[in-house]
Amino acid sequence: MVLKYLFLSVAFFCTGFLCSGHGEEKEAAVIPSGEPALRSVSVADTLAGPIPGLQDSLQRAAKLHGNYQFAEALQIYSRLVEEVSDSLQLLEVEDAAILTQNSINMMDFCSSPVVVAKQKFPVRDFFLFYPLPDASWRPVPNQLDTAGNGSIVKAMYVPEDSETIYYSVQDENGIRNICKTEKLDSVWSVPELLGENMTTSSDEVFPMLSSDGKALYFSSKGLYGIGGYDLYVSYWDEDQNEWGLPVNMGFPYSSPYDDFLYIDSPDGKYSMFASNRECTADSVYIYVLEYDSTPVRKAVENPEELKNLSLLNPIEDISRLDNGSIVDQNRNEQDGMDDYAVKLNVVRAITDTLNACAIQIDEARAQLQTESEEAEKSKWVTFISEKEELLPVLQDSLNKVRLQVQDLEMKFLMEGFSFDPESIQRDAEKEIVGASSSYTFTKNNMGDTLVMTVLQPEPKFDYSFKILPEGCFAEDNQLPEGLVYQIQMFASSRKATVKNLKGLSPVFERKKNNSTYIYSVGVFRSYKDVLEKLNKVKRCGFRSAFITAFMDGKPISVKAARTAEKNVRHLYTIRIFPTDGQSLSDSELALVKTLSSSDLVKSTSGGAISYLLGPFDNKKEADKILSMMKTGGLSNVTMESSVQK
């Protein structure tokens, strides 16, 4: 049975499972290549179905799962798998069962961190209480995240001196995945997905890079999990030059609830993350743990013990506590600074009142012009008069307070004090939480709205194989150079319409002779890829569809194509034509060198001077560089491809 097979798969591949979020990377649990990763779904998502008794059973199983009684929950799911006949409901039950089996497997790899503190905060701004640089969280939506403000994602972490930004963003289907963009002089690179390992069919949120840049922590609903958002860590693979397979951090970091935003504190003393495991939907707890580079893992078999472990209650050993560790060290205690901060607040308040009063006068004058009744006119005249009398009083108060501020600043300068008025103002407004307990949380300020120039990929026709609500003809019927496979759908004596395509895209039209049109779909570079799509085309109604092959646009047999495929290598080169027809300017050369370290060779052909950059094995990489060149001002650039056999 399908469910039994899935359980066996999970149990087998968990033998190397790693729950650690610290220290050296160890062997991680993996899903074999070609198999889909187990989808982490909220058990609450399965509470649907018209079958009598099904909803009660699912609710009972979900409650058991949330109470860490995974074995009992699994018994219910296993029984439901035998009873449910509706295919959609069966899939929901199997998903919930897999989630529960995952949780059972992870009970063998639990750690027992030393908990220093936990504090509840509103979900709207909990991230501001992390010991991170002030004003490093930026509001969303913004240029990178145009959707923004999801149920959990309320801001984006972008410190002032960022050179690379990792962030979570919604795709066209509303799924959040992790992207990155890098600073290129005065512009930012075209955002790109972080990698296949971290791009799933569900959400990934709150990516946070370790201080040494070797570990990336994030939360996901789409990876091997326990329930809701789980915490994961991925380590940078120097050999592969990419992020490695994400590893679930396990109990008690991950739980059946939503767990997210993990960091190790900058001072190296603590690890921190947030969770709603003990909260309502509008709040979260922040847990503060002693940093442990080599956590000890052990099996926890008792559900009650596991539940208590996951509550992460702080220790009562006073000798191990350090309540001054994360108190804002920038708070200035110099004599007179508090008074200075208060007066700055008064200046701001009076200025805001003055501005509001001026706006009210302008609005009242506009309203006066529209009134026809004398009584109403008289009311507006009186209102305007009262406000105008208030203006000089407010201005006089503002001038007096400004003189007091200037006197204090002069005093500080005479006594040799160094101060930043804006910084003092921000510090004066910070909220302090837990000052009388084992750990002090300081609330940071939100940062300014992102203002940045982000390169955008050139809009172009998507030649990837798709089945859409409405099919699409290829923008250009010319096949690219090199080896290409296609799936021939049908031949017709008349030109086909979009309706005839049955949702397939991209469809190429070729006229075989004066009376026959041939229609084929897709551009595939390998036999394996085209074979995987053949049955999909047949299921769309083209039962006689078959595979064809081309080399440099000319038809060849599929057998010859498969033989040639073993020896074909596609290369891509970018040709740059100088603006003055002779040489690239210093700024143009700087842009090219910034975008790529590949060789740049001068070429003269037919009397025209150009520069060749490359070659590149990866067309996607070459396309990206070409797009960034055009955005950066190199408009006369082209892509050339060749086949190396």
Side-chain angles (χ1 to χ4, degrees):
M1 191 198 328
V2 173
L3 182 61
K4 291 180 180 177
Y5 168 76
L6 288 170
F7 286 175
L8 289 172
S9 297
V10 174
F12 178 78
F13 291 112
C14 273
T15 56
F17 175 72
L18 168 70
C19 302
S20 171
H22 311 82
E24 296 181 0
E25 181 179 7
K26 301 182 178 116
E27 184 183 1
V30 296
I31 303 300
S33 177
E35 293 288 336
L38 296 177
R39 183 168 64 91
S40 173
V41 293
S42 170
V43 178
D45 291 340
T46 66
L47 308 183
I51 294 178
L54 175 61
Q55 179 145 345
D56 288 342
S57 295
L58 287 172
Q59 287 176 337
R60 188 162 60 255
K63 185 175 180 179
L64 289 167
H65 185 99
N67 202 39
Y68 299 85
Q69 296 173 275
F70 305 123
E72 291 86 344
L74 187 59
Q75 289 178 358
I76 296 176
Y77 292 132
S78 299
R79 176 177 57 80
L80 291 176
V81 167
E82 303 291 345
E83 297 177 358
V84 174
S85 58
D86 181 272
S87 59
L88 184 59
Q89 291 173 337
L90 180 60
L91 180 62
E92 291 177 345
V93 174
E94 288 179 344
D95 279 345
I98 292 171
L99 189 72
T100 304
Q101 181 65 55
N102 290 349
S103 305
I104 293 173
N105 295 334
M106 291 188 189
M107 289 175 68
D108 290 335
F109 305 91
C110 302
S111 62
S112 301
V114 175
V115 185
V116 175
K118 69 177 184 181
Q119 182 73 41
K120 186 184 292 188
F121 296 99
V123 71
R124 66 176 181 272
D125 63 0
F126 74 96
F127 44 86
L128 294 178
F129 290 90
Y130 276 64
L132 296 166
D134 192 35
S136 58
W137 288 96
R138 310 304 182 101
V140 292
N142 55 43
Q143 290 159 284
L144 293 175
D145 183 3
T146 56
N149 243 337
S151 58
I152 291 178
V153 179
K154 306 293 185 182
M156 180 184 296
Y157 181 66
V158 185
E160 189 64 34
D161 57 352
S162 297
E163 296 292 329
T164 301
I165 301 173
Y166 292 92
Y167 64 100
S168 173
V169 64
Q170 284 189 0
D171 62 15
E172 63 273 11
N173 298 313
I175 302 299
R176 282 191 169 274
N177 294 131
I178 301 174
C179 287
K180 77 168 183 176
T181 179
E182 298 175 305
K183 195 170 186 179
L184 307 172
D185 195 12
S186 60
V187 299
W188 290 81
S189 65
V190 176
E192 60 180 15
L193 289 171
L194 213 54
E196 183 179 357
N197 290 335
M198 289 182 235
T199 303
T200 72
S201 59
S202 194
D203 290 345
E204 281 75 51
V205 297
F206 288 120
M208 299 296 290
L209 195 65
S210 63
S211 58
D212 61 6
K214 295 181 179 180
L216 186 74
Y217 300 98
F218 65 99
S219 296
S220 174
K221 280 186 175 181
L223 292 168
Y224 179 95
I226 299 171
Y229 285 102
D230 278 10
L231 286 167
Y232 296 83
V233 59
S234 177
Y235 297 96
W236 182 252
D237 188 328
E238 294 286 353
D239 295 331
Q240 299 296 323
N241 197 39
E242 64 181 7
W243 290 102
L245 186 70
V247 177
N248 194 307
M249 294 176 67
F251 295 111
Y253 301 95
S254 296
S255 74
Y257 303 92
D258 291 324
D259 312 294
F260 40 85
L261 192 50
Y262 176 97
I263 70 163
D264 292 324
S265 64
D267 61 8
K269 294 182 179 180
Y270 303 107
S271 299
M272 304 175 66
F273 72 95
S275 176
N276 63 6
R277 63 185 67 176
E278 301 177 75
C279 306
T280 55
D282 61 350
S283 61
V284 299
Y285 270 101
I286 294 180
Y287 299 92
V288 183
L289 320 172
E290 281 190 1
Y291 176 80
D292 186 359
S293 62
T294 55
V296 176
R297 306 294 171 180
K298 67 175 184 178
V300 177
E301 298 179 358
N302 186 287
E304 194 64 27
E305 181 184 353
L306 181 61
K307 181 179 179 180
N308 289 334
L309 177 66
S310 298
L311 287 176
L312 293 171
N313 289 319
I315 60 172
E316 298 179 358
D317 183 359
I318 302 300
S319 65
R320 302 187 68 166
L321 303 181
D322 178 13
N323 69 338
S325 57
I326 304 295
V327 176
D328 186 2
Q329 301 299 322
N330 295 320
R331 294 184 66 83
N332 201 318
E333 298 178 357
Q334 292 177 352
D335 185 36
M337 285 298 179
D338 287 342
D339 185 36
Y340 180 72
V342 169
K343 293 189 184 304
L344 285 179
N345 271 331
V346 174
V347 169
R348 186 179 64 177
I350 297 176
T351 302
D352 290 344
T353 304
L354 266 170
N355 292 335
C357 190
I359 292 172
Q360 289 174 342
I361 292 172
D362 290 340
E363 291 175 346
R365 285 173 175 164
Q367 187 66 32
L368 178 61
Q369 298 296 323
T370 63
E371 290 293 349
S372 56
E373 297 183 7
E374 290 301 322
E376 291 298 322
K377 283 186 176 183
S378 178
K379 289 181 182 179
W380 284 114
V381 169
T382 301
F383 177 84
I384 293 171
S385 177
E386 290 174 351
K387 291 294 181 182
E388 287 180 335
E389 290 176 1
L390 182 60
L391 285 176
V393 177
L394 289 171
Q395 188 63 55
D396 183 61
S397 298
L398 180 60
N399 292 338
K400 289 179 180 179
V401 179
R402 280 177 172 168
L403 285 174
Q404 293 172 2
V405 169
Q406 291 172 7
D407 289 343
L408 282 173
E409 290 176 347
M410 183 61 68
K411 173 187 174 184
F412 295 151
L413 290 173
M414 294 294 291
E415 295 178 358
F417 288 170
S418 175
F419 66 96
D420 177 0
E422 293 184 3
S423 175
I424 294 171
Q425 178 67 52
R426 289 194 301 268
D427 286 344
E429 295 173 353
K430 285 186 175 181
E431 179 182 344
I432 305 296
V433 177
S436 61
S437 65
S438 60
Y439 181 94
T440 301
F441 295 88
T442 303
K443 186 177 183 180
N444 288 316
N445 297 289
M446 278 291 287
D448 296 330
T449 301
L450 282 178
V451 178
M452 56 197 303
T453 303
V454 183
L455 299 178
Q456 299 296 323
E458 286 187 334
K460 56 184 178 181
F461 186 84
D462 186 358
Y463 280 91
S464 59
F465 176 85
K466 286 184 174 64
I467 301 177
L468 306 169
E470 184 176 80
C472 292
F473 286 102
E475 188 176 68
D476 185 348
N477 276 312
Q478 295 297 316
L479 290 175
E481 292 185 7
L483 178 62
V484 172
Y485 294 94
Q486 288 196 296
I487 299 174
Q488 185 167 317
M489 302 152 56
F490 63 93
S492 174
S493 59
R494 294 185 296 177
K495 288 177 72 71
T497 65
V498 169
K499 185 177 180 180
N500 301 133
L501 307 185
K502 299 185 179 180
L504 292 172
S505 175
V507 174
F508 291 73
E509 177 188 273
R510 299 182 188 84
K511 198 169 185 180
K512 186 175 182 181
N513 50 47
N514 291 334
S515 59
T516 304
Y517 293 92
I518 305 295
Y519 293 93
S520 302
V521 63
V523 177
F524 306 96
R525 290 294 189 176
S526 73
Y527 181 75
K528 177 183 176 182
D529 288 344
V530 71
L531 188 61
E532 288 177 351
K533 301 300 188 294
L534 179 59
N535 280 336
K536 291 186 177 182
V537 174
K538 289 183 177 181
R539 285 196 292 269
C540 286
F542 304 105
R543 296 185 178 181
S544 300
F546 59 93
I547 297 172
T548 59
F550 301 83
M551 178 64 79
D552 296 332
K554 297 180 180 179
I556 60 173
S557 69
V558 173
K559 182 178 180 180
R562 295 187 67 183
T563 301
E565 186 179 335
K566 300 176 182 179
N567 305 310
V568 169
R569 180 187 177 201
H570 295 274
L571 298 176
Y572 305 92
T573 306
I574 297 175
R575 187 180 293 274
I576 310 167
F577 294 93
T579 305
D580 62 4
Q582 296 298 318
S583 61
L584 296 175
S585 67
D586 291 342
S587 60
E588 290 171 333
L589 280 171
L591 176 62
V592 173
K593 290 179 179 179
T594 300
L595 296 177
S596 175
S597 59
S598 299
D599 293 335
L600 184 66
V601 179
K602 186 175 182 179
S603 172
T604 303
S605 177
I609 296 174
S610 62
Y611 290 81
L612 297 176
L613 181 67
F616 302 93
D617 289 317
N618 190 310
K619 186 175 185 298
K620 183 178 179 181
E621 178 189 1
D623 280 335
K624 174 183 173 183
I625 294 172
L626 182 70
S627 175
M628 289 191 289
M629 282 183 177
K630 290 183 177 180
T631 305
L634 287 172
S635 57
N636 200 0
V637 290
T638 60
M639 175 80 74
E640 298 177 359
S641 63
S642 60
V643 176
Q644 189 177 75
K645 300 180 180 179

